[in-house]
Amino acid sequence: MDLMVEASPRRIFANAHTYHINSISVNSDHETYLSADDLRINLWHLEITDRSFNIVDIKPANMEELTEVITAAEFHPHQCNVFVYSSSKGTIRLCDMRSSALCDRHSKFFEEPEDPSSRSFFSEIISSISDVKFSHSGRYMMTRDYLSVKVWDLNMEGRPVETHQVHEYLRSKLCSLYENDCIFDKFECCWNGSDSAIMTGSYNNFFRMFDRNTRRDVTLEASRENSKPRASLKPRKVCTGGKRKKDEISVDSLDFNKKILHTAWHPVENIIAVAATNNLYIFQDKIN
């Protein structure tokens, strides 16, 4: 008989969320974790399934006054009292649970001022943050919006210390991406074990890696056609106009149904996992 692998729930933590849960983050104390939906963040004890504490609630008395929702939340990797959450307005709030039981007042507020000259109908949609991740060191955090990845120093709230463009060539395509709902896709991002590189997904089964030290970046493709075992991935380039070179792919021929929303990096080794729709790819650093 074929060996079947089955997942069975050990515990079910129920009845605390009215809306879709977008984040779960285990605390560094290994006793508690948080769960976040559009309007609330709850704190749970891992052993207690029937009650949780509400630590953030942004639900207005009148739902017509709702202007933003929570998009992601995560605990700090070392300080068990600190967590962050991001919003659909492109802001990140850092909260300290020692200051009060309900963290409605944030300790730090991270926001990049918008350039008025680049404002458009899509500005608010593409500035919505789809993922926030602390670095392993706990000094930085990374946020992903529709077109870019930003790295923030926790001691500097006014602007990010790094901005990496993921697929800037899509800025001219925002109209059609809005019509096919792709503009609302939620891409995740992740750090490598030493915080020296970051990775996030794109369309056409492309994913992007940025080296923070050398400032070099690469676009790679996860596809069955190109990935024979032990074969190395070739960098891909997208051509935005003019004459297309032999190895380049035109921005008009990108497949927006093939998207990499989920990526993960091994905590110690150079091994990555990339989820491309219903296929999971695992790549490792080339071993000579």
Side-chain angles (χ1 to χ4, degrees), residues 6-48:
E6 191 177 286
S8 54
R10 302 276 292 278
R11 297 190 188 105
I12 297 176
F13 298 82
N15 307 326
H17 287 282
T18 318
Y19 306 96
H20 288 297
I21 296 170
N22 57 46
S23 299
I24 287 179
S25 176
V26 178
N27 194 323
S28 58
D29 65 9
H30 299 298
E31 288 186 356
T32 56
Y33 74 93
L34 64 76
S35 58
D37 67 23
D38 287 352
L39 299 178
R40 293 195 178 99
I41 301 176
N42 294 325
L43 180 69
W44 302 81
H45 192 284
L46 287 163
E47 302 296 328
I48 302 169

Side-chain angles (χ1 to χ4, degrees), residues 147-159:
L147 294 177
S148 65
V149 172
K150 292 172 182 166
V151 176
W152 304 76
D153 186 322
L154 293 191
N155 300 318
M156 202 168 101
E157 297 167 58
R159 59 185 175 86

Side-chain angles (χ1 to χ4, degrees), residues 9-286:
R10 302 276 292 278
R11 297 190 188 105
I12 297 176
F13 298 82
N15 307 326
H17 287 282
T18 318
Y19 306 96
H20 288 297
I21 296 170
N22 57 46
S23 299
I24 287 179
S25 176
V26 178
N27 194 323
S28 58
D29 65 9
H30 299 298
E31 288 186 356
T32 56
Y33 74 93
L34 64 76
S35 58
D37 67 23
D38 287 352
L39 299 178
R40 293 195 178 99
I41 301 176
N42 294 325
L43 180 69
W44 302 81
H45 192 284
L46 287 163
E47 302 296 328
I48 302 169
T49 58
D50 58 352
R51 67 177 182 273
S52 62
F53 296 96
N54 180 232
I55 50 176
V56 172
D57 187 347
I58 64 164
K59 185 178 182 181
N62 177 4
M63 280 296 272
E64 285 175 10
E65 293 167 12
L66 184 70
T67 57
E68 63 181 332
V69 293
I70 297 166
T71 55
E74 190 181 48
F75 268 122
H76 190 279
H78 312 302
Q79 297 166 14
C80 60
N81 49 291
V82 172
F83 68 94
V84 291
Y85 68 92
S86 59
S87 91
S88 56
K89 277 196 164 173
T91 60
I92 310 104
R93 291 171 173 84
L94 183 138
C95 303
D96 188 337
M97 292 192 294
R98 289 177 304 190
S99 54
S100 69
L102 190 64
C103 301
D104 282 353
R105 282 196 293 277
H106 48 266
S107 308
K108 291 188 176 183
F109 182 76
F110 300 84
E111 181 178 31
E112 184 169 31
E114 191 190 22
D115 178 3
S117 65
S118 64
R119 178 143 188 84
S120 73
F121 170 75
F122 304 109
S123 292
E124 196 163 304
I125 303 173
I126 62 172
S127 67
S128 175
I129 291 171
S130 54
D131 198 15
V132 58
K133 291 270 170 52
F134 279 110
S135 62
H136 298 289
S137 68
R139 180 173 172 188
Y140 300 99
M141 66 177 171
M142 163 169 56
T143 58
R144 172 75 153 96
D145 56 43
Y146 191 63
L147 294 177
S148 65
V149 172
K150 292 172 182 166
V151 176
W152 304 76
D153 186 322
L154 293 191
N155 300 318
M156 202 168 101
E157 297 167 58
R159 59 185 175 86
V161 288
E162 295 166 31
T163 300
H164 302 280
Q165 300 303 335
V166 177
H167 38 217
E168 185 62 22
Y169 47 79
L170 294 183
R171 195 176 284 277
S172 60
K173 303 267 176 235
L174 291 176
C175 215
S176 51
L177 291 162
Y178 178 75
E179 284 167 6
N180 64 14
D181 277 353
C182 284
I183 202 167
F184 301 107
D185 285 336
K186 295 191 177 338
F187 292 95
E188 294 174 3
C189 51
C190 63
W191 299 85
N192 72 341
S194 62
D195 297 335
S196 63
I198 55 185
M199 172 171 62
T200 190
S202 180
Y203 294 104
N204 208 67
N205 279 358
F206 287 174
F207 59 99
R208 303 270 285 137
M209 297 170 110
F210 302 92
D211 188 311
R212 298 180 59 217
N213 300 328
T214 62
R215 297 289 170 162
R216 283 162 59 186
D217 61 272
V218 66
T219 302
L220 300 169
E221 182 181 1
S223 73
R224 283 188 161 172
E225 298 78 60
N226 298 358
S227 58
K228 299 178 183 71
R230 303 274 173 262
S232 59
L233 295 175
K234 291 185 179 64
R236 305 300 304 257
K237 279 208 162 46
V238 176
C239 153
T240 50
K243 225 169 162 203
R244 186 164 67 88
K245 294 190 186 122
K246 186 165 95 57
D247 298 337
E248 292 182 338
I249 180 164
S250 161
V251 68
D252 296 315
S253 56
L254 294 173
D255 187 341
F256 293 109
N257 292 317
K258 292 180 176 174
K259 54 191 91 168
I260 291 178
L261 302 179
H262 312 289
T263 57
W265 208 311
H266 190 284
V268 186
E269 297 180 43
N270 250 346
I271 299 173
I272 58 167
V274 173
T277 322
N278 58 347
N279 294 309
L280 176 68
Y281 295 88
I282 295 178
F283 300 110
Q284 68 179 31
D285 219 3
K286 198 163 184 189

